[in-house]
Amino acid sequence: MIFETHAHYDDDAFDNDRDEILRLLNEKGIAPIVDIGASVASTKAAVSLAHKYAQVYAAAGVHPSDSGDLTDKDIDWLKGLCDDPKVVAIGEIGLDYHYDEPDREVQKKWFVRQLELAVETGLPIVVHSRDAAADTYKILSRDEFRGLKGIIHCFSYSAEFAEKYVKMGYLIGVGGVVTFKNGRKLHEVVRQTPLENIVVETDCPYLAPEPYRGRRNSSAYLPYIIERIASIKGSSYEEVRQATYENAALLYGVRADG
Ligand SMILES: [Zn+2]
């Protein structure tokens, strides 16, 4: 089995063949799949997908770019969802200064509020951080968040930052970018990060790996990511598949085989 730690099957891009794809992935041994909420609406959709498919689990959370309209009521609503046994994480949450919208202070406020929710519920976190390395690290290093576990998803920072996160116990989410020729920075991160701290993800429908770059992504392409990690680390495919499966199963607390 391959553990898909980050997917968005609730996205419109799958409206025409969602059922078919999820059935096929199950047959191919891609399970479990964690469908990641990125807004109030997509969190709702992720939870309902998780109820429909045995192998699908949900993360509940609001992406920084969608945090502009958040209210305390939404946080209470998210908290209520955390009792659902199919909700396995708070995410994706974080900071995105690439689009820089909404205001950075607003993003930070709701990132912190959702981190507090993770502390309250004991759930792991899925962190989205883009062009915001220093602020993300500063917030996650606060004493009150030191006990949190989670994934720094679609890791895009230096090997030095990866090492800091690994020391804090975080997992590094590696996706399609690792197959890109211009993915040198990520190759260095993968080379240096112990296999015990790596998980695989697609972030589908976005970021399809080579040779499908630019097309709609799906978890069926995870083997290309595993293969590339194996070649960078000089490990076997099976070693990487198994380690990334166990890392994800331990973090999210679920397995395909019960
Ligand atoms: Zn995502």
Side-chain angles (χ1 to χ4, degrees), residues 178 186-188 190-191 227-235:
V178 79
L186 182 59
H187 298 165
E188 191 45 44
V190 167
R191 191 169 299 122
E227 223 161 67
R228 192 71 187 92
I229 294 172
S231 86
I232 290 170
K233 294 192 83 62
S235 314

Side-chain angles (χ1 to χ4, degrees), residues 63-107:
H63 186 288
S65 304
D66 263 295
S67 64
D69 299 325
L70 267 176
T71 64
D72 286 321
K73 244 184 157 167
D74 294 323
I75 300 295
D76 288 342
W77 174 75
L78 283 174
K79 189 177 178 183
L81 288 180
C82 296
D83 293 329
D84 187 322
K86 297 225 66 177
V87 173
V88 294
I90 304 288
E92 57 189 292
I93 59 174
L95 302 173
D96 194 319
Y97 296 169
H98 183 75
Y99 294 108
D100 230 359
E101 188 52 51
D103 188 81
R104 292 182 182 189
E105 291 311 311
V106 173
Q107 295 191 33

Side-chain angles (χ1 to χ4, degrees), residues 6 8 92 153 203:
H6 194 119
H8 298 282
E92 57 189 292
H153 132 77
D203 204 17

